[in-house]
Amino acid sequence: MKHLLSALLLLATCWSCSKDHSPNRKGSEDTTQFKNYYKDLIIVNWNIEWFGSARFPGSLAAQESNAGKILRYLDADLYGICEVVDTARFGRMIRNYMGSEFNYIISPYPKIDQKLAFVYNRHIFRNVRARPFMSQSATAAVSFASGRFPFLLSADMVVNGKWHPVHFILLHAKADAAADAYARRKEGSVELKDSLDVYFNGQHCMVFGDFNDQLNGSILNGYLSPYKNFLEDGGRYQALTLPLNTTGYQSTLSFSNSVIDQQLVSGNLRYWYKDQSVSIRTDVKNVVPDYEQRTTSDHYPVTSAYAVTD
């Protein structure tokens, strides 16, 4: 009953947040001055640990500077960012390090900390709309910690002289290796896939972010991956990061041989994907030499590349 009451309260809150949201920028941009790009696309997901929060163990000024340098270094076209706490600091970082070419959208939920954000090249991603996904579901409000619903960005992707509608679902799943947390991740995965199958079947989609679990089994010893349902539907979904879910790889600083930051694609994103381009970017240490001292985040970014054609 306690969970149900909490879910209903979150549902009422997120109902008012379910409309599309504009970029968190003041003023309006001149949409007649777009550039046209002919290039491969780079997509990134990154959990910037407690960004701007007193709960981050290091200097917040150093975190902001380091994260900005890394975003610029990765030279991507769209970033999915988890754990944004200080939204004003985040906006300042994007303006200072990414320039006028990029816009950003921060989720207006949850009311607790750790919001989700997209940063995107506004010339490539046009007619951008963003909203919480599954926010009218009481079960999803429980499955995704404290109403931290997946964040959906839909846009027209314009690159290499082609226009394509695309959808990105940024995920920050329930953390921890406890049985209850595992069950919530599994329930969230089932509902997420069911919703995608109904509303985005055959469309160009990516589900990416901090899944807080592995694809080759689970962080809960002896259990299968809570995302096994996606892996079993190879006709629709490709788990790009599955080959990285093996001994020798890690996507966080603290847990060796464990990858919890993932990317799944469907539609033509499966065919545009450049084979073996997915990577856990431990090379960010070239930009921030003391990265492993947790001066920026406890996660590494994950990137993948796409050659977009018809």
Side-chain angles (χ1 to χ4, degrees):
M1 179 61 72
K2 183 178 179 181
H3 272 176
L4 178 58
L5 289 175
S6 299
L8 290 174
L9 286 173
L10 284 163
L11 176 59
T13 299
C14 291
W15 179 274
S16 63
C17 299
S18 62
K19 297 179 181 179
D20 292 346
H21 296 275
S22 300
N24 294 351
R25 291 290 183 91
K26 294 181 179 179
S28 58
E29 63 181 0
D30 182 0
T31 58
T32 66
Q33 301 298 315
F34 284 124
K35 300 177 185 177
N36 291 313
Y37 284 83
Y38 294 83
K39 64 187 292 292
D40 292 340
L41 287 183
I42 305 295
I43 308 297
V44 175
N45 59 279
W46 186 22
N47 183 325
I48 308 182
E49 179 193 8
W50 290 106
F51 181 84
S53 169
R55 296 184 65 171
F56 180 71
S59 161
L60 297 184
Q63 183 190 39
E64 178 182 346
S65 173
N66 292 344
K69 291 174 184 176
I70 287 171
L71 291 176
R72 190 166 60 191
Y73 168 75
L74 294 173
D75 195 25
D77 302 290
L78 184 141
Y79 304 79
I81 306 295
C82 298
E83 293 200 18
V84 176
V85 178
D86 188 335
T87 58
R89 183 184 290 270
F90 184 83
R92 181 178 65 202
M93 176 186 68
I94 299 304
R95 290 188 294 273
N96 288 342
Y97 288 91
M98 305 302 287
S100 61
E101 207 162 23
F102 283 80
N103 277 344
Y104 64 93
I105 305 178
I106 302 173
S107 67
Y109 64 93
K111 295 302 181 183
I112 62 167
D113 295 335
Q114 296 189 341
K115 291 176 168 47
L116 303 168
F118 288 104
V119 180
Y120 60 93
N121 186 315
R122 66 184 182 87
H123 300 280
I124 294 176
F125 296 95
R126 307 181 190 180
N127 301 317
V128 170
R129 295 88 62 200
R131 62 177 176 85
F133 190 53
M134 305 191 301
S135 65
Q136 299 179 31
S137 167
T139 54
V142 175
S143 298
F144 296 93
S146 301
R148 193 169 59 199
F149 298 101
F151 198 27
L152 167 66
L153 180 146
S154 298
D156 293 318
M157 183 174 68
V158 184
V159 67
N160 299 331
K162 309 296 181 183
W163 287 66
H164 297 281
V166 290
H167 309 279
F168 295 89
I169 298 93
L170 179 58
L171 191 67
H172 189 184
K174 180 72 179 75
D176 298 327
D180 175 68
Y182 172 86
R184 289 165 68 179
R185 286 193 296 275
K186 185 175 180 180
E187 290 164 2
S189 180
V190 169
E191 187 170 3
L192 175 61
K193 184 179 181 300
D194 287 347
S195 299
L196 291 173
D197 290 350
V198 171
Y199 297 110
F200 293 99
N201 186 37
Q203 299 189 47
H204 317 319
C205 296
M206 170 182 273
V207 182
F208 65 155
D210 182 356
F211 286 37
N212 265 315
D213 215 323
Q214 301 165 173
L215 300 181
N216 63 329
S218 174
I219 60 173
L220 181 58
N221 287 336
Y223 283 72
L224 298 173
S225 172
Y227 306 102
K228 184 172 176 285
N229 54 328
F230 281 99
L231 302 178
E232 291 176 335
D233 192 357
R236 277 187 282 200
Y237 300 96
Q238 180 180 356
L240 303 184
T241 46
L242 179 59
L244 305 180
N245 283 239
T246 188
T247 300
Y249 292 95
Q250 63 191 77
S251 65
T252 64
L253 298 182
S254 302
F255 299 97
S256 60
N257 303 316
S258 180
V259 173
I260 62 172
D261 299 274
Q262 314 288 3
Q263 295 187 354
L264 303 167
V265 291
S266 65
N268 277 359
L269 282 168
R270 300 176 61 194
Y271 306 106
W272 295 330
Y273 170 66
K274 299 190 73 172
D275 192 37
Q276 298 183 341
S277 67
V278 69
S279 176
I280 299 170
R281 298 300 296 271
T282 58
D283 59 310
V284 295
K285 291 177 287 187
N286 296 336
V287 183
V288 180
D290 59 354
Y291 191 91
E292 291 184 342
Q293 276 67 61
R294 206 169 162 188
T295 58
T296 312
S297 175
D298 58 349
H299 290 245
Y300 293 109
V302 176
T303 67
S304 56
Y306 303 82
V308 178
T309 59
D310 289 333

